[in-house]
Amino acid sequence: MALTIVVPITAVGVTVVNLIGNEAEERSFDRLQQATLSAEAILLDDKDEVNRLADAVAADSRLAAAISAGAEALEQTLPRIVREGDLDIAIVEDGTGEILARARTTPRFATGIAVPTDEELLGAQVEDRAVLAGAQLAEGGTLLVGRWLDAQSLDRVARAPGIALTLVDGRSVLASTQGLGRLPPRLGAGPFEARFGTGERLAYASEVPRLGLTVLATSVPPTGQDRANLILLFGGLLFVLTVLIVLVGYVVSGLVTGPVEDLVEAALAVSRGDLTQRVDVAGDVELATLGRAFNQMTDNLREYVEQLEQSRREFQTAIARLGDVLVSTHDLGGIIDVVLEACALTLGANKAVFYERVALPARVRASAVNEGDVPAVELNGTGVAGAAARQLMPIVHPGNAELAPEEPAVEAAVAVPVVVENRLEGVLALYGRVAGGTFRTDDINTLQTLGRQAEVAIGNVYLHDETRRQARTDGMTGLWNRREFELRCRDAVREASRFGESFGVILVDIDDFKQVNDRFDHSTGDAALIWLAERLSDATREIDVVARWGGEEFIVLLPRAGLEETAAVAERVRSYIAREPMRDGEKVLPLTVSIGFACHPHDGTSADELFRAADTALGRAKRMGKNRVEQARPTEGVEV
């Protein structure tokens, strides 16, 4: 009779061991899916970023100047622009299709993958080898820029330890962070386990939209150590239970046959995965105790499995939302909020807090929380979050740091630094666990992975903001460029027309600027332009808009300024510049400017009319001897 009880209960134990052991494999698949989502997001962001960089490089004044200067200047300038834009490819063609200059890095493709020629890149015949974007040049011709889809691209996103990333084109390995050898026959989307050239691996494949490639994340299967430990644990429990059953069987074997058979049937049902089974608590004290223990075991198992399923669903939802946010937004606050939500859901934390960097090396302040109000906490190298900022490594409590008095008083906490381009940006910290207990090593690894997602997203936001700033400013002087000034001026026209206000436009030109370049060199001319930009900024108000109009011409917008105020500012600018010469090392250059100005609505009611009126007045100032200010005349800015 003892064997009839022990055998099915052993089967239950083996089933439970398999259920919990399989959880390690499922968590591995979740990490692989997360790695492919991260790779997809960054590769697609690369495609959008290359499109933006194509327009930014095409509008770069340095490129225009190099094209005008000739092939040698273009060959020197193009590689520098490529490095600054973090690009791999740049090709300039003239209007006839002739290549004027090129700048390319060597891709790290897999063995056997041919490196595309310039002609193949220009003909868009290798869109699965590089992310490409083209733009028209103002001087005529076209510009093609791009980034290779190679191992270097994967290295930027392959941060999860133990996971290899591979780009697959059909059946060909394009690039990989780790040699996998021969691919398996099947590479369908989703999770699978297959034999590669290097052995058995867990894998997750996902097609990247708009690129026509497949991202393949692989890792070695989890070791059997955890399963072995569980088998030993359940083996010990089953041994104790077996001894107990044998003793009870010898004493009351004749009285317990019926209840024991019910228990056996229920145990067999549980071994088949039916965790809803319960047995009647009847019979003598021993049988009743055994029945209650069996029911408690099935209840605990059912609750544990439900928690695992709920945790997996929440994790997948949080990762999917995180991937969507990383692809679709450049809102830094929104990105941090969704990262905090993903951290709290994935690791079952009571509270997730993001600490922003206040001052280097380790002063941080709480700036976001997953729910509730942001706590008024500022740390300087103390507590769990402060120690993570100071040491730039994961910190866990209890473990290698104590909580600061300002931090939440919890039994367990963990924090990891968020570092972008070798600079501390903040700290991700979790406090308390919903289910109790401490944060384990795999929890720290998961938090680091989510932290790296935040690092990538923050870096993309900074790059996006820098690209937008470069598109709106002059690369040499740092002032607003002509396009941005025209937009500001048109806004000023609308505001002035709506509220009946006036504003002034001052056009400034350096007198005899050509002689500066002829007498010295172009670097001195560049220094003169930068010097004049600084003088203009010093001589105007903070609300005034100062821009480089083109060449040696600058322009200033004076909000809510009438004729008298505009004339006074123009004369102040002229005298301020003429007051003392420019000094460039040992060179002393007396510089003067000629100025023409116009006012809205006296000299025109549109931006174009005001520009023409100020330009005509500037030309009159030049003809009348230079180093003077001339006011527009009412009909000068209007075409007849």
Side-chain angles (χ1 to χ4, degrees), residues 448-460:
Q448 284 184 290
T449 299
L450 293 170
R452 293 189 186 104
Q453 299 280 6
E455 291 171 357
V456 171
I458 292 171
N460 289 341

Side-chain angles (χ1 to χ4, degrees), residues 6 9-14 16-17 227-243:
V6 172
I9 292 182
T10 303
V12 173
V14 172
V16 173
V17 168
R227 192 186 301 267
N229 291 336
L230 289 172
I231 291 175
L232 290 176
L233 175 62
F234 275 92
L237 293 176
L238 287 173
F239 175 78
V240 173
L241 184 59
T242 301
V243 173

Side-chain angles (χ1 to χ4, degrees), residues 15-96:
T15 300
V16 173
V17 168
N18 286 332
L19 285 173
I20 299 177
N22 290 338
E23 175 62 16
E25 185 173 284
E26 292 173 358
R27 287 178 67 91
S28 297
F29 279 125
D30 289 340
R31 293 179 68 240
L32 293 175
Q33 181 185 18
Q34 177 187 346
T36 60
L37 287 172
S38 175
E40 285 182 40
I42 294 176
L43 291 175
L44 291 176
D45 195 70
D46 272 355
K47 188 170 183 67
D48 295 336
E49 190 64 24
V50 167
N51 287 331
R52 290 191 293 271
L53 287 173
D55 294 334
V57 173
D60 195 316
S61 60
R62 295 175 297 173
L63 182 62
I67 293 174
S68 300
E72 183 176 352
L74 186 56
E75 289 289 351
Q76 294 177 355
T77 302
L78 194 59
R80 184 164 59 252
I81 294 176
V82 166
R83 288 193 301 272
E84 292 175 357
D86 194 19
L87 293 167
D88 298 324
I89 304 165
I91 304 175
V92 178
E93 288 186 300
D94 62 16
T96 67

